[in-house]
Structures are given as structure tokens and as C-alpha cells.
Amino acid sequence: MTNPPHMLTFRAIGNWSEGDVSVAWTDNARQRISDVERQIERAWADASARLGARLFDGPMCRLERFEADDRALRLWVSPTSYKPFLGTNLTNPDVPPAARANPLGLSAALTTGDGWLMLGRRNASVAYYPGRVHPFAGSLEPAEVGNLFNGVRRELKEELCLTPADIAEMRCLGMVEDARLKQPEIIFSVCSTRSRDEIESMLDATEHQGCVAVEGTPAQIEAIMRDPLMTPVAVGTLALWGRIAFGDAWVSSLKPAIEAR
């Protein structure tokens, strides 16, 4: 499976600290369109037949709107859940935009104490992009509204057993949107004190079959960004990390190829 044309959109670009990013509740504005609601029910029934008790309509947070400038990123979300996400973004992303679930995703550009960038190779059991290379990531949960960074900490604990003591620094780098799933994804830079070997040994196999380690040099980052196994969000994550590491000119030179390849 190769990355589609116009694979990625950069919706916000910055370099914000934890205190610069806010998220608050607002009313849910997702339109309930009869045809779309029937698609959601069909998709859920099909998934239930395949997965049985493993399928869970977990709570998620729909991105309703956002504002971004050099000083701050402000987001407003509303309650949603996995069922409408499955029935719209995952399986029917071309429904009218106002009818999509659009849960807010969280992805980490994770660097190790010995200078590697770490990504995960997804296993065959995940709901989307099985076998592809993707950041360690998840979705914002309702209990984390008020602090997006806590959602990233939770995901890294679940997927890599990292504790807050293992994290030296976190920054928010922007928001991207996968052109196929049309899901908003907030990108973070996370600097761990753990080594590459330690992180690889701590990987939880529930979602990933292994780690992918990348040297943090322009040549190595550019090379892996061309790999067709990279998900669009993985490409966007490395681009935003590289902007901070190598400068605006570097990411600007790559952006047309990223968006139109």
C-alpha cells in the first residue's frame, strides 16, 4: 500500500510549550445525516461480526475548531466515540465533512537519550494501517481535556511503559490531517532519557510488532520519509520535528513533495 496523492495537510505549525496549549469542551456540531447514520450502523455491524467482544465503543473527543498563532494553540472539542469514527473517518471518510466524527489524534516524535528517533511498526491486528510505520500515538480521551500533554504521557506509558520520569521535555509542534482518513492529529516532540535499546525492550506488543529507529540527521530523515510504508501522519511527524531540528528552510523545501507525492 503506497501513500496516496495529496497525502497530508499541515493545519497548524508551531513550537508550543505545555502552558501554551489549551483545550476546552464545546457543543457537538456533528450533523446527523440519515444516509451517514445508516453507514455507521452497517460498519459497526460488520466490525462486530469480525471482532465480537474485542470491539468497544470507547469515548473520544471530536475537534470542533481551533485557533493557532506563534504564542498559543487553542482547541475546542466535543464528546464523540469510536463507533462514529469507525463508520465515518475509518471506513467512509468521504461523507460530508460536518458528518464525520473527526476525533483528535495525538502522535509523538520520540527521541531517545542516545540520539535516535523512534517510530513503531504496527501489527496486523490494528484497525488501520496494519504493517505500516507510524508514530507512537493514540487519541485524546475525555479525562484529558484540559491538558493534551497528559494524553501523550498516557499513550507512551501504554505503548512503551514510559513514565513521566523517563521524559525530559515535551513540545507541541502542530497539527496535520491524513488526506485519506481526514482525521486531525496533534504532533508532539518528546525527548526521553531512555536509550534506544531500553525503549525497544519496553515495547508493548498489543499494537506494534517492533520499533523503527531513525538517526536524527537530514539525510536519514528524508530517506525514511520516502519509504512507502510510512503512514502520512508519520511523514508529517518527522517533517515537523525536522523543522525544529534543521530549520524552516528544510521543511519548506520538502513540503510540496510531502503534500503532493
Side-chain angles (χ1 to χ4, degrees), residues 54-131:
R54 289 182 294 163
L55 187 65
F56 171 60
D57 188 20
M60 306 175 86
C61 299
R62 183 179 197 262
L63 179 65
E64 296 290 348
R65 62 187 179 94
F66 72 95
E67 297 173 354
D69 55 37
D70 291 342
R71 296 172 298 173
L73 173 65
R74 296 169 290 275
L75 307 108
W76 288 265
V77 299
S78 67
T80 189
S81 68
Y82 188 77
K83 182 176 178 179
F85 175 48
L86 172 69
T88 59
N89 298 79
L90 281 185
T91 57
N92 297 292
D94 292 326
V95 301
R100 291 197 293 262
N102 290 345
L104 191 62
L106 309 172
S107 283
L110 175 65
T111 54
T112 69
D114 52 354
W116 293 88
L117 266 165
M118 304 299 291
L119 302 165
R121 191 176 301 279
R122 294 165 70 77
N123 63 32
S125 67
V126 296
Y128 56 99
Y129 290 134

Side-chain angles (χ1 to χ4, degrees), residues 217-239:
T217 65
Q220 292 301 310
I221 297 297
E222 291 172 30
I224 197 168
M225 287 171 69
R226 292 191 291 269
D227 187 334
L229 288 179
M230 292 280 284
T231 67
V233 167
V235 172
T237 298
L238 293 185

Side-chain angles (χ1 to χ4, degrees), residues 27 30 52 60 75 78 104 110 113 117-118 125 127 134 136 148 152 156 178 199 205-206 217 229 234 238 250 259:
D27 293 336
R30 189 177 78 82
M60 306 175 86
L75 307 108
S78 67
L104 191 62
L110 175 65
L117 266 165
M118 304 299 291
S125 67
H134 194 69
F136 295 104
L148 290 181
V152 182
L156 292 176
D178 178 330
I199 287 176
T206 303
T217 65
L229 288 179
L238 293 185
W250 178 82
E259 293 181 334

Side-chain angles (χ1 to χ4, degrees), residues 3-193:
N3 290 320
H6 305 292
M7 59 179 285
L8 187 68
T9 300
F10 293 88
R11 299 187 65 187
I13 295 176
N15 183 12
W16 301 290
S17 69
E18 193 162 347
D20 298 331
V21 180
S22 64
V23 56
W25 289 113
T26 190
D27 293 336
N28 185 288
R30 189 177 78 82
Q31 291 184 3
R32 272 58 172 180
I33 301 171
S34 296
D35 287 346
V36 174
E37 298 308 299
R38 284 192 287 270
Q39 290 178 24
I40 292 171
E41 293 299 331
R42 284 196 297 270
W44 192 254
D46 291 345
S48 296
R50 295 193 313 272
L51 301 173
R54 289 182 294 163
L55 187 65
F56 171 60
D57 188 20
M60 306 175 86
C61 299
R62 183 179 197 262
L63 179 65
E64 296 290 348
R65 62 187 179 94
F66 72 95
E67 297 173 354
D69 55 37
D70 291 342
R71 296 172 298 173
L73 173 65
R74 296 169 290 275
L75 307 108
W76 288 265
V77 299
S78 67
T80 189
S81 68
Y82 188 77
K83 182 176 178 179
F85 175 48
L86 172 69
T88 59
N89 298 79
L90 281 185
T91 57
N92 297 292
D94 292 326
V95 301
R100 291 197 293 262
N102 290 345
L104 191 62
L106 309 172
S107 283
L110 175 65
T111 54
T112 69
D114 52 354
W116 293 88
L117 266 165
M118 304 299 291
L119 302 165
R121 191 176 301 279
R122 294 165 70 77
N123 63 32
S125 67
V126 296
Y128 56 99
Y129 290 134
R132 302 280 292 276
V133 178
H134 194 69
F136 295 104
S139 297
L140 181 69
E141 295 186 354
E144 295 149 357
V145 171
N147 192 330
L148 290 181
F149 288 70
N150 284 340
V152 182
R153 293 183 181 100
R154 172 185 49 78
E155 290 293 344
L156 292 176
K157 181 172 175 48
E158 291 174 357
E159 298 185 7
L160 292 168
C161 301
L162 293 180
T163 69
D166 298 320
I167 297 172
E169 184 182 25
M170 296 177 65
R171 306 282 295 183
C172 181
L173 305 183
M175 184 193 308
V176 301
E177 183 177 294
D178 178 330
R180 184 172 78 84
L181 299 179
K182 299 180 173 64
Q183 179 190 7
E185 192 89 11
I186 305 292
I187 308 300
F188 296 82
S189 170
V190 180
C191 301
S192 175
T193 58

